Amino acid sequence: MDYATLDAACAGVATTLDRRGVGGDDVVALCCGNSLATAAAYYGALRCGARVAPISVASPPGEIAVALQRLRAGVVISDEEHADIARAAIDMAATGVRLLTISETTSRRRDWVSLPALAAHRRAAPQHLRARAPAVILATSGTTGTPRWAVHSHAGLLRNAAAVAQEMLQLGAGDVQLGALPLAHSFGMSAVLSASVMAGASVVLMPRFDADAAIRLIDEQRISVVQGVPTMLSRLASASTSPPPTLRRCVVSGAPLPNGFAARLHDRLCTDVVERYGMTEVSPLTMRTVPRDGGDVGDVGRALRGVVVRTVDGAASGELEASAATMLIGYHRERAATRAALREGFFRTGDLGRVEEDGRVILLGRLKDVIVRGGNNVAAREVEQVLEGHPDVIEVAVLGVPDPDLGEEVIAAVVSRRRGARLIAELETRCAEQLAAYKRPRRWHRLDALPRTASGKVRKSELRDLLG
């Protein structure tokens, strides 16, 4: 799809929604995968002034139904592949929400509309959109419980795309990005799709990420930029024998970098690796070029232009708060949560860290990842970093579970290259050498993989239910 066709299809979506009475206060939910229909639906709904809420199609219909109820969505737009899921969710929500299904070629059903038909609509001039008006409603990762919905403005979306396209990637019309991140998440929608549109670059969409297929696409489509979470890039490095010649930059975000990760990327995927730090509520915040040895533990680089990252109340280390033009307006229909998160123009990130004299931001863990064991505070990230230093540990999650005596006990879930009591003994030795006694895990679990969100963050609430 070229830009002229995309623009025409977006206008067609805007006209279709306008004829259905959709206005500026209405919520349009997207139940789409990584498809051309998603791009037309997203920008078309924005163009008509609606508030757009992308929903992950990895969710079951029941979960989508709950989201539709919480959002009070009036219309759901689906692509052809996910029409049945969307219909099932709408039926379960029972709120009278309407469905618009977009097919990429011809409409196989009478109640569907095709992209060619949308592009053929007579186009009216786009309406003026207020810069600070609500534009998109994004689900937070939900790593600590029920997800909230962060509301962003049109200006915030524009500035997010500009920061990525211009400052982080230096994208141009000759660049090609791999679109393997879910477009229902802000990382995929803003950093990949919108940044590319702003720069006039191309995007090669993958409906489902597959490392071997992605390596072939990088070669065949001459892809120059890949962005992803650590798990995705690690799998790409495993599927590649040497860095593809067209790939000039890789961006990693969404989770801390595992031990030895940077060296594998440099040797097998790309020698120009950038790490970015941000979150659904405000992003991107910082970036750094990752050296082959990975650099300092927890280092996520310096703040981008116009971004301020600091510790709460100016403490030497503690909870980080951030201010940026890309910051959320607030949480959808949650005034109390908005007041708690926003303070004097800063967003409280929930991350623990410090800001060095040279401006580098060092992450130390999550505020809610602090385990209180017998009255002692244990930063889960500190323990994880010690365990990640073992050469046979692939990834690890440390968390607290209820304990009748101590309040919480420290446990560790480990994904490793080998099994057995000897490995656990070696990990216990590392902890004894580097951690105070109260910080050491007392229970160990060997897993094949850690449950993660679409953005790559470990679902610790799910792990806690599984292992607690």
Side-chain angles (χ1 to χ4, degrees):
M1 176 182 279
D2 58 31
Y3 275 102
T5 306
L6 175 60
D7 179 58
C10 292
V13 170
T15 300
T16 301
L17 292 175
D18 182 66
R19 288 174 179 172
R20 296 189 179 199
V22 176
D25 291 330
D26 294 311
V27 175
V28 174
L30 300 188
C31 189
C32 303
N34 284 15
S35 65
L36 298 177
T38 307
Y42 178 63
Y43 296 122
L46 287 177
R47 181 168 174 157
C48 84
R51 306 178 186 191
V52 186
I55 298 176
S56 172
V57 291
S59 304
E63 190 174 331
I64 296 174
V66 172
L68 296 179
Q69 292 169 341
R70 291 185 63 194
L71 290 164
R72 301 184 190 178
V75 174
V76 174
I77 302 179
S78 77
D79 54 15
E80 185 174 348
E81 180 181 357
H82 301 97
D84 291 340
I85 295 174
R87 172 55 64 192
I90 287 172
D91 291 343
M92 294 174 71
T95 56
V97 63
R98 294 165 291 171
L99 177 64
L100 172 64
T101 298
I102 301 175
S103 60
E104 292 192 357
T105 52
T106 57
S107 299
R108 294 191 294 105
R109 289 174 42 174
R110 188 172 298 176
D111 57 340
W112 291 5
V113 62
S114 68
L115 281 177
L118 288 168
H121 269 268
R122 184 176 180 181
R123 281 183 282 172
Q127 62 175 294
H128 174 75
L129 301 173
R130 291 183 297 110
R132 294 296 300 169
V136 68
I137 308 173
L138 298 171
T140 59
S141 61
T143 52
T144 56
T146 303
R148 290 192 167 98
W149 295 85
V151 182
H152 288 269
S153 68
H154 290 280
L157 294 182
L158 186 69
R159 288 163 177 164
N160 184 310
V164 175
Q166 298 166 7
E167 191 170 357
M168 189 174 297
L169 299 179
Q170 296 84 52
L171 282 178
D175 278 305
V176 183
Q177 279 215 71
L178 178 67
L181 286 163
L183 294 183
H185 188 269
S186 59
F187 195 7
M189 186 67 83
S190 292
V192 176
L193 185 60
S194 291
S196 296
V197 169
M198 169 165 278
S202 301
V203 180
V204 178
L205 293 173
M206 291 191 77
R208 292 166 191 81
F209 175 72
D210 175 86
D212 292 325
I215 289 297
R216 290 194 295 271
L217 278 178
I218 290 171
D219 180 57
E220 295 167 1
Q221 302 293 330
R222 301 187 64 78
I223 287 170
S224 56
V225 175
V226 171
Q227 300 191 70
V229 298
T231 301
M232 180 186 295
L233 296 188
S234 177
R235 291 177 182 176
L236 286 174
S238 296
S240 176
T241 55
S242 60
T246 63
L247 191 56
R248 66 174 181 83
R249 176 160 289 187
C250 282
V251 176
V252 60
S253 184
L257 300 187
N259 180 56
F261 178 82
R264 293 183 65 238
L265 284 189
H266 277 253
D267 293 343
R268 306 190 66 169
L269 192 63
C270 185
T271 56
D272 185 359
V273 181
V274 169
E275 180 180 15
R276 56 171 263 169
Y277 164 60
M279 55 214 65
T280 302
E281 288 89 346
V282 52
S283 184
L285 292 174
T286 69
M287 62 173 283
R288 68 165 181 144
T289 299
V290 182
R292 191 179 182 281
D293 65 2
D296 293 339
V297 174
D299 184 1
V300 290
R302 296 175 175 83
L304 278 73
R305 288 192 297 266
V307 174
V308 177
V309 180
R310 67 187 189 187
T311 55
V312 173
D313 297 327
S317 65
E319 184 183 3
L320 297 174
E321 56 184 7
S323 177
T326 59
M327 195 160 59
L328 80 166
I329 300 171
Y331 290 110
H332 184 63
R333 302 187 184 279
E334 292 192 71
R335 291 183 178 179
T338 299
R339 287 195 298 269
L342 298 175
R343 187 184 75 142
E344 300 175 355
F346 281 78
F347 174 75
R348 300 188 68 157
T349 67
D351 287 327
L352 295 173
R354 66 177 185 271
V355 181
E356 303 283 35
E357 290 185 0
D358 61 5
R360 290 180 302 134
V361 175
I362 309 296
L363 295 185
L364 302 174
R366 286 287 295 172
L367 185 65
K368 292 184 179 179
D369 274 351
V370 172
I371 304 161
V372 183
R373 182 184 186 275
N376 294 302
N377 291 340
V378 180
R381 186 59 193 147
E382 180 186 5
V383 184
E384 289 168 351
Q385 288 169 348
V386 170
L387 297 176
E388 287 171 352
H390 192 287
D392 288 325
V393 170
I394 298 172
E395 54 183 356
V396 62
V398 171
L399 57 153
V401 295
D403 183 89
D405 180 40
L406 297 169
E408 284 187 296
E409 187 54 278
V410 182
I411 69 172
V414 180
V415 179
S416 60
R417 295 181 177 85
R418 59 186 176 93
R419 300 172 181 265
R422 184 174 177 179
L423 173 64
I424 300 303
E426 292 173 7
L427 294 176
E428 288 177 332
T429 299
R430 287 185 65 86
C431 290
E433 292 172 346
Q434 300 182 48
L435 297 171
Y438 68 86
K439 298 180 181 181
R440 302 169 197 165
R442 296 308 196 271
R443 286 167 44 194
W444 301 84
H445 300 267
R446 183 20 175 103
L447 302 179
D448 293 329
L450 300 180
R452 293 184 178 273
T453 68
S455 63
K457 295 178 182 178
V458 176
R459 291 185 180 272
K460 288 199 172 179
S461 58
E462 184 177 324
L463 259 182
R464 193 171 285 107
D465 292 340
L466 177 67
L467 306 177

